Amino acid sequence: MGMRARRLVCRLLAGALAALVLAAVPAPSFAQANEEEVRTLFREGIKNFDDGKYAEAQTQYERFVRDYRKSPLLGQALFGVAACLDAQGKTAEAAERYKNVLDRRPNDNVIPQTRLNLGRIYEAQDKPDQAKSLYQEVARSSPYGTAGAESRMRLEALLAKHPELVEVKAPATNTPAINPA
């Protein structure tokens, strides 16, 4: 996938995910946060990302992470920072940030997309073993979602490109096992 296509995918996923979360999250009950201020800051990040202003979006998401650590949207903001870095072509930094999301928010709803994006980076860095592992995790954990479907397609393409990654299972036999005792 080319850089332009990857940016488009990142933009669509981050924007769609953030929009869904903003619509579904009830008024936050975290420390002294003004609900409108929180939503405005998050929306600014989304708008900047959608407008291709990735550095500005990154700044908004980083501010959100800094100022609203107890927000239910923290995982989305952490993902937003990583997606912005990814869209700017800063893949080494993006990979670290995606790993940070996996470590800090292991049960967050952004985890399948985070693994998928990290798998794409590993694939581009010619780390097919790591990409395969992440694609398999997403396919297992999100079998019916778009991230799961894309992971299965990417995994199939990866295995076609790297046949050495295909696990060969021993054929089943009807011969009883011989006990050397």
Side-chain angles (χ1 to χ4, degrees), residues 107-126:
N107 299 314
D108 206 292
N109 63 356
V110 296
I111 293 301
Q113 192 61 48
T114 301
R115 285 185 178 130
L116 177 61
N117 289 5
L118 185 56
R120 278 194 212 120
I121 289 174
Y122 285 153
E123 194 172 351
Q125 292 175 340
D126 198 29

Side-chain angles (χ1 to χ4, degrees), residues 13 31 36-37 68 87 102 108 128 141 146 167 177:
L13 294 172
E36 191 55 37
E37 180 182 320
Y68 303 107
L102 295 174
D108 206 292
S141 67
T146 55
E167 296 171 10

Side-chain angles (χ1 to χ4, degrees), residues 11 27 40 46 48-49 51 61-62 74-75 81-82 84-86 102 104-105 108 123 126 145-146 165-166 176:
R11 182 181 320 150
T40 299
I46 294 168
N48 283 329
F49 194 97
D51 292 344
Y61 288 128
E62 287 172 340
L74 181 62
V81 171
C84 289
L85 289 165
D86 198 356
L102 295 174
R104 288 179 65 182
R105 308 295 289 192
D108 206 292
E123 194 172 351
D126 198 29
T146 55
L165 296 176
V166 176

Side-chain angles (χ1 to χ4, degrees), residues 15 20 25 27 30 90-91 98 101 105 110 113 122-123 144:
L20 288 172
V25 172
F30 48 96
K90 299 177 182 180
T91 55
Y98 285 132
V101 174
R105 308 295 289 192
V110 296
Q113 192 61 48
Y122 285 153
E123 194 172 351
Y144 305 109

Side-chain angles (χ1 to χ4, degrees), residues 57-76:
Q58 179 183 342
T59 300
Q60 295 303 126
Y61 288 128
E62 287 172 340
R63 181 174 160 219
F64 189 97
V65 169
R66 183 190 68 231
D67 294 348
Y68 303 107
R69 293 180 189 189
K70 296 194 186 274
S71 169
L73 299 175
L74 181 62
Q76 286 79 11

Side-chain angles (χ1 to χ4, degrees), residues 112 135-152:
Y135 293 154
Q136 286 174 328
E137 286 180 54
V138 176
R140 270 193 304 271
S141 67
S142 301
Y144 305 109
T146 55
E150 185 174 347
S151 287
R152 286 187 297 281

